[in-house]
Amino acid sequence: GMACPTGRGCPFGQACFLNTICGDWSAGGGSTSSSSSSSSNTGTNTGTIKSFGHEAVEETFQSIKDIIDTKLFLYETPDMQWLPSTVYRFDGFFDGLQLMYKQGVNGKKIYMGGNNDPSCRHCHMYGLVNIAAFLAQAMKETIRYDACDENSWDRVGDMKMYPISNACGQLGQSYQDYHCKEEERFMECEVDVNMSIEAVTHAKWWGAP
């Protein structure tokens, strides 16, 4: 198909898939080659994605897993370069995604487009948008910094230093004083004043503590 690195110039009825190649959007949610096919009007899926609902979402991600690792899960270095994350990789993301839509936490699950129901040929798109929104937030909060621990970023005082108290709460917060809602109180643990933890990742921006 025709390359579309800028996302422009695709023929009518086609879309730019991952800023890489133009293709028809099939009923199952995949990008096909740029050649047209009359079978696309018969209800037969002509794209690379052969399923519907959450299975189409899974299949879509599996088909682009290398792109996710090399072009999406990137972190910013102090010299403003973007490199593949050493912490966030596709395999871990996909395992967590399956857990959250199949099992969930306390009855809450992530929406992945519903069941493999051919009558809802576009539901997977809602699932993909939902995951895209989640990944956008994850990029802003953690992936960009290649860190899984909370970053110490709240500076205080005239010298704008990073206080050690950031470990207990930033922006005036006290993390140990947070409590769950009543219906989720069974998941809350009592505060262990003797507990300690050592961070295993750190932010990589210039001057990061």
Side-chain angles (χ1 to χ4, degrees):
M2 182 172 63
C4 52
T6 64
R8 299 177 181 176
C10 291
F12 179 77
Q14 295 186 357
C16 185
F17 188 61
L18 286 176
N19 290 332
T20 303
I21 191 171
C22 293
D24 299 320
W25 280 101
S26 68
S31 177
T32 71
S33 66
S34 58
S35 61
S36 61
S37 172
S38 60
S39 63
S40 62
N41 296 322
T42 65
T44 301
N45 191 341
T46 61
T48 58
I49 306 302
K50 304 298 183 183
S51 53
F52 304 91
H54 63 76
E55 290 187 9
V57 175
E58 284 193 353
E59 193 175 345
T60 299
F61 279 122
Q62 285 289 353
S63 70
I64 58 173
K65 60 182 180 180
D66 291 337
I67 295 176
I68 290 177
D69 273 341
T70 59
K71 294 186 177 182
L72 182 61
F73 288 173
L74 306 178
Y75 74 94
E76 187 177 16
T77 67
D79 56 359
M80 306 298 288
Q81 290 183 322
W82 291 87
L83 299 176
S85 173
T86 63
V87 178
Y88 297 94
R89 311 302 296 160
F90 175 83
D91 289 341
F93 155 73
F94 194 74
D95 288 346
L97 188 62
Q98 289 186 305
L99 179 66
M100 283 306 300
Y101 92 80
K102 292 180 179 179
Q103 177 177 324
V105 175
N106 192 31
K108 297 179 180 180
K109 300 179 180 180
I110 192 166
Y111 181 73
M112 283 270 286
N115 296 325
N116 190 18
D117 183 4
S119 67
C120 187
R121 303 170 70 85
H122 63 278
C123 284
H124 65 282
M125 296 182 182
Y126 299 126
L128 288 171
V129 170
N130 195 34
I131 304 305
F134 167 76
L135 290 177
Q137 180 68 16
M139 172 59 75
K140 182 182 185 301
E141 295 286 349
T142 57
I143 301 175
R144 178 179 181 178
Y145 309 111
D146 204 31
C148 59
D149 299 293
E150 180 178 359
N151 294 323
S152 177
W153 55 268
D154 186 17
R155 299 188 180 192
V156 299
D158 295 337
M159 300 293 291
K160 298 297 181 183
M161 303 295 287
Y162 296 105
I164 194 172
S165 60
N166 277 356
C168 303
Q170 303 189 81
L171 295 178
Q173 300 175 85
S174 175
Y175 296 157
Q176 73 175 35
D177 292 322
Y178 282 160
H179 296 285
C180 296
K181 298 178 182 179
E182 187 61 37
E183 62 271 21
E184 298 177 345
R185 189 63 60 91
F186 68 93
M187 295 188 291
E188 183 176 318
C189 299
E190 294 185 8
V191 175
D192 182 351
V193 295
N194 297 314
M195 180 180 291
S196 64
I197 186 172
E198 181 177 340
V200 295
T201 60
H202 64 88
K204 294 179 173 62
W205 67 73
W206 184 88

